[in-house]
């Protein structure tokens, strides 16, 4: 004869009896949210570049690609070229980091020079820019004058 255990017959206690309405901070429009799409773009671009740089570092001398001794010169030229690319990428990665930092500090999208807000379309086109179009033009004119 089986022992009819009643121990397992625990009545399910409704734990949802006390439903506290979750506090929502809906009305606070965080300025960081404004650039969410740009942030996503920057983060994606940054990751793609970092992956590429890491890949390049993992295989620093693409020897297999240039097995011939006579190709040594072009191999070196190629390496210089990719070094330059890497430098440029690293500079851009740094700029992206700075842009992301500015987003965290809510100073993103503000012109460094005149402290006006940089129009969104410009930011979308050039997310790492720190100057509005007027100041950028001025800066370019100054650079030209210096030459
Ligand atoms: Zn400006």
């Amino acid at each position: 004869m089986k022992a009819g255990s009643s121990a397992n017959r625990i009545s399910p206690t409704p734990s949802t009896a006390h439903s506290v309405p979750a506090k929502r901070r809906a009305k606070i429009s965080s300025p960081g949210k404004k650039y969410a799409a740009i942030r996503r773009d920057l983060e994606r671009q940054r990751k793609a570049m970092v992956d590429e740089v890491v890949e390049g570092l993992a295989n620093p001398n693409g020897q297999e690609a240039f097995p011939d001794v006579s190709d040594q010169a072009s191999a070196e030229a190629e390496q210089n070229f990719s070094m330059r690319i890497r430098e440029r990428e690293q500079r851009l990665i740094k700029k992206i980091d700075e842009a992301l930092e500015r987003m965290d500090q809510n100073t993103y999208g503000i012109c460094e020079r005149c402290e006006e807000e940089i129009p969104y379309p410009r930011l979308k086109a050039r997310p790492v820019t720190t100057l509005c179009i007027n100041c950028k033009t001025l800066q370019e004119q100054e650079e030209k004058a210096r030459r």
Side-chain angles (χ1 to χ4, degrees):
M1 193 175 160
K2 274 182 187 171
S5 166
S6 60
N8 284 334
R9 300 184 61 193
I10 302 164
S11 63
T13 44
S15 55
T16 51
H18 56 287
S19 65
V20 182
K23 255 190 189 169
R24 305 193 93 190
R25 299 182 296 163
K27 279 293 159 202
I28 301 166
S29 67
S30 150
K33 278 270 160 34
K34 192 171 155 188
Y35 303 114
I38 291 178
R39 178 187 275 269
R40 249 198 331 271
D41 282 355
L42 283 174
E43 279 170 350
R44 198 181 307 134
Q45 197 186 355
R46 187 186 192 285
K47 190 184 179 311
M49 277 193 306
V50 168
D51 285 351
E52 222 169 282
V53 170
V54 168
E55 217 170 275
L57 291 177
N59 186 17
N61 40 10
Q63 292 286 351
E64 309 89 45
F66 303 96
D68 226 326
V69 186
S70 60
D71 277 347
Q72 195 59 45
S74 66
E76 269 165 27
E78 179 79 11
Q79 215 166 41
N80 282 343
F81 180 70
S82 62
M83 290 265 283
R84 232 177 10 242
I85 294 281
R86 225 171 286 159
E87 245 176 59
R88 220 174 57 189
E89 278 173 340
Q90 275 166 358
R91 258 207 303 275
L92 190 54
I93 288 170
K94 192 166 171 278
K95 277 187 177 179
I96 291 174
D97 282 344
E98 285 166 359
L100 290 171
E101 211 176 283
R102 286 197 299 278
M103 280 179 185
D104 288 339
Q105 293 164 353
N106 290 331
T107 57
Y108 181 79
I110 296 164
C111 176
E112 268 184 346
R113 228 171 125 143
C114 66
E115 292 177 357
E116 291 288 321
E117 218 171 289
I118 302 171
Y120 190 84
R122 171 161 168 77
L123 289 171
K124 194 90 176 82
R126 286 196 59 84
V128 298
T129 194
T130 56
L131 295 172
C132 72
I133 194 75
N134 286 338
C135 292
K136 181 70 190 166
T137 307
L138 279 172
Q139 191 196 50
E140 274 167 10
Q141 281 168 356
E142 281 169 12
E143 269 171 22
K144 231 176 265 174
R146 233 178 285 151
R147 266 177 223 151

